[in-house]
Amino acid sequence: RDVAHVCVDFLKSNPSETILMLASTEHMPKNNKLLFDEVFYNYIQIHHENWYLDSHIPTLKECRGKVVLFRRFYSRKYPFGID
């Protein structure tokens, strides 16, 4: 099981909680067909309703039951999360 599924399961069991997630890329991939932001965006679409992807810091009311994304990677195509 991957970390996103663990987070979603936790939030389903604890809907009043919030998870803060920092995502970053630490190396430059070679010969990939997709950029990191494309892969990450496609990945979070599986449970998009459980992600807070706005660019401002939310209130607890806005993000209860969600994973708040703090993004530390370049995203030209998909501006999402708090940078």
Side-chain angles (χ1 to χ4, degrees):
R1 291 178 37 97
D2 58 48
V3 69
H5 284 95
V6 172
C7 290
V8 168
D9 288 347
F10 173 81
L11 292 170
K12 285 181 180 178
S13 297
N14 302 279
S16 65
E17 297 294 331
T18 298
I19 297 173
L20 304 178
M21 180 181 288
L22 175 73
S24 65
T25 180
E26 297 180 359
H27 71 283
M28 298 305 276
K30 296 179 183 174
N31 301 322
N32 287 1
K33 294 179 181 177
L34 296 173
L35 297 173
F36 183 80
D37 65 328
E38 295 172 313
V39 173
F40 197 86
Y41 184 81
N42 291 337
Y43 183 70
I44 62 176
Q45 291 307 304
I46 297 168
H47 295 287
H48 67 276
E49 68 278 0
N50 295 105
W51 289 83
Y52 180 87
L53 301 174
D54 288 352
S55 61
H56 73 277
I57 297 174
T59 64
L60 281 175
K61 184 177 180 181
E62 291 176 295
C63 65
R64 286 198 193 279
K66 296 187 182 292
V67 178
V68 178
L69 176 63
F70 288 87
R71 178 176 49 85
R72 295 296 176 255
F73 56 87
Y74 178 70
S75 180
R76 175 187 64 228
K77 193 173 182 179
Y78 305 102
F80 57 94
I82 300 166
D83 186 18

